[in-house]
Amino acid sequence: MSARYDFYGPIHKGLRLGSAQLLTRLGSVDWREPSAGSALLAQLRTHLTLSREHLEHEDAEIIPPLRAHAPELAARLDKEHAHHDEAFAELEALAAQAERAGPGEREAAGRALHLRFSMYFADDLAHMAGEEREALPAFHASFSDAEMLAMEMRIIQSIPPARLTQYYFLMVPGMNPSERAAFLLHVKRNAPPEAYEHLLNDVARAALPPEAFRALHDELALAA
């Protein structure tokens, strides 16, 4: 039996990768060097924006249809999203504090930000795993793959192209090779040709190590 449609897996793998990279950088950056700290804070803010908007997409298109079929689960996801919103506000406040900190205060401010981000990441890991282990089966029990694809397409169509590219730069390297090839084939079959070409030649080529891109290119050629 073929696998059912999964609109959580690719984006969640990308967000996990982005958060893991940030957690490492927040722990290892030299906060005594203002330019290094400023560059990292810019990356953090971009990632938090992507994470916040991802929740907004789910609030608009994913959770509402779930309410009629799994109301308790939908209510729990609502609470978890609200908890994430609180974390985003706290992280932004700590980032601003690190940005304003004087030379003797930067390392302490950076450590506070690192610790709070680690707590957020832990919560987000549990949240995304819960969606994939509980919400996804609930969707499979009540909706067809075509209906789930339509939900996802409404999200994609609501995202400006430049923002969508930012998501793809996380998603493509976050997948394993078979998932990556399947994802690009899905885009090839369901999106305009220029969207597929952009994903392959502008995103995948830049985001992947050369050997991984060659393997992807060869697998796509075999599937053509």
Side-chain angles (χ1 to χ4, degrees), residues 12 16 123-136:
H12 281 181
R16 288 183 183 106
D123 287 342
D124 197 37
L125 286 173
H127 169 72
M128 290 189 289
E131 287 181 325
E132 292 177 46
R133 296 178 65 183
E134 299 178 57
L136 187 61

Side-chain angles (χ1 to χ4, degrees), residues 80-213:
E80 291 176 4
H81 283 196
H83 184 64
H84 274 37
D85 287 337
E86 294 172 2
F88 295 144
E90 292 177 17
L91 286 165
E92 177 52 45
L94 288 168
Q97 183 177 329
E99 205 165 40
R100 295 191 304 265
E105 303 170 326
R106 289 188 191 124
E107 289 192 89
R111 177 169 173 75
L113 179 59
H114 175 244
L115 291 176
R116 183 62 185 91
F117 187 83
S118 71
M119 293 169 62
Y120 157 74
F121 188 22
D123 287 342
D124 197 37
L125 286 173
H127 169 72
M128 290 189 289
E131 287 181 325
E132 292 177 46
R133 296 178 65 183
E134 299 178 57
L136 187 61
F139 273 101
H140 288 165
S142 301
F143 298 93
S144 68
D145 286 357
E147 289 171 322
M148 294 173 65
L149 175 60
M151 296 173 201
E152 185 177 52
M153 288 306 298
R154 286 193 292 271
I155 291 174
I156 292 172
Q157 291 165 1
S158 75
I159 303 174
R163 177 72 81 215
L164 195 59
T165 295
Q166 289 179 304
Y167 281 112
Y168 286 157
F169 264 100
L170 291 176
M171 293 163 63
V172 169
M175 300 177 199
N176 67 41
S178 63
E179 292 169 337
R180 194 177 296 137
F183 178 71
L184 266 81
L185 286 172
H186 169 73
V187 172
K188 186 176 184 178
R189 293 163 182 159
N190 293 280
E194 57 270 22
Y196 170 75
E197 292 298 328
H198 170 66
L199 182 58
L200 177 63
N201 293 312
D202 299 330
V203 176
R205 187 186 296 274
L208 297 174
E211 62 275 13
F213 179 76

